[in-house]
């Protein structure tokens, strides 16, 4: 299962982004919004990363810590262009998730489409419910949910 251990860290990042409007850096990245839910035998995590080049996204997992880092770079770099409105924040975005032992971190899949990075994390086989047969002296067998 997904675990979050420090809710104040995300709140601090959000406050800095709203009030300071500071672009994230590699040493001090900005938070990225996400949705997480369970669908059957897997957890799905969707990160909002509109305008980010897929080559600028890094996914790393060490033990049970999943780290997602992405960098939104300026789309227009030509000096002859005069920007009229620039509301999308540039810089580095990062998020860490602490994954429980019941998830299979060796089979994580990732897809990036329409500005959303979607990770699918399957539940480990040993964590799935299963039926156990009970045998006894009688000819009939019964099953119990484990």
């Amino acid at each position: 299962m997904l675990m979050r251990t420090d809710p104040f860290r995300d709140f601090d990042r959000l406050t800095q982004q709203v009030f300071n409007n500071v672009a994230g850096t590699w040493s001090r990245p900005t938070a990225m919004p996400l949705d997480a839910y369970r669908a059957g035998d897997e957890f799905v995590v969707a990160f909002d990363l509109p305008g980010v080049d897929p080559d600028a996204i890094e996914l790393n997992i060490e033990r049970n810590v999943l780290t997602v880092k992405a960098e939104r770079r300026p789309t227009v770099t030509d000096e002859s262009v005069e920007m009229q409105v620039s509301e999308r924040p540039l810089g580095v975005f990062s998020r860490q998730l602490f994954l429980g032992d019941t998830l299979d971190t060796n089979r994580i899949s990732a897809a990036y489409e329409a500005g959303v990075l979607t990770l699918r994390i399957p539940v480990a086989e040993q964590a799935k419910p299963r039926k156990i047969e009970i045998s006894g002296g009688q000819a009939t067998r019964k099953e119990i949910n484990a």
Side-chain angles (χ1 to χ4, degrees):
M1 297 196 206
L2 299 173
M3 296 183 292
R4 297 183 68 186
T5 58
D6 188 5
F8 297 107
R9 178 175 174 224
D10 293 334
F11 183 70
D12 185 42
R13 285 183 180 176
L14 182 63
T15 304
Q16 287 178 353
Q17 183 179 4
V18 171
F19 294 115
N20 296 338
N21 199 17
V22 176
T25 64
W26 283 101
S27 61
R28 206 166 244 262
T30 302
M32 66 180 81
L34 69 84
D35 291 331
Y37 55 93
R38 184 173 178 164
D41 286 339
E42 66 183 4
F43 278 91
V44 180
V45 185
F47 297 92
D48 282 345
L49 295 170
V52 173
D53 183 12
D55 293 333
I57 300 173
E58 287 183 15
L59 290 172
N60 296 309
I61 188 156
E62 184 176 341
R63 295 189 184 142
N64 284 359
V65 179
L66 173 73
T67 304
V68 180
K69 277 194 174 186
E71 183 176 11
R72 183 179 296 125
R73 301 174 181 126
T75 55
V76 179
T77 56
D78 187 7
E79 293 180 16
S80 65
V81 174
E82 183 180 335
M83 185 64 79
Q84 298 299 311
V85 178
S86 179
E87 294 181 346
R88 292 178 14 185
L90 301 176
V92 179
F93 302 86
S94 178
R95 196 73 182 256
Q96 284 188 325
L97 298 176
F98 296 90
L99 306 178
D101 293 332
T102 59
L103 298 177
D104 189 354
T105 57
N106 292 323
R107 296 186 352 196
I108 295 175
S109 64
Y112 182 72
E113 185 176 334
V116 178
L117 174 66
T118 304
L119 303 179
R120 296 188 176 279
I121 310 166
V123 174
E125 287 297 320
Q126 67 267 21
K128 293 180 183 177
R130 61 191 183 281
K131 293 189 179 224
I132 300 172
E133 285 189 31
I134 298 176
S135 61
Q138 299 177 350
T140 60
R141 295 180 144 191
K142 295 182 180 180
E143 290 185 356
I144 295 178
N145 285 330

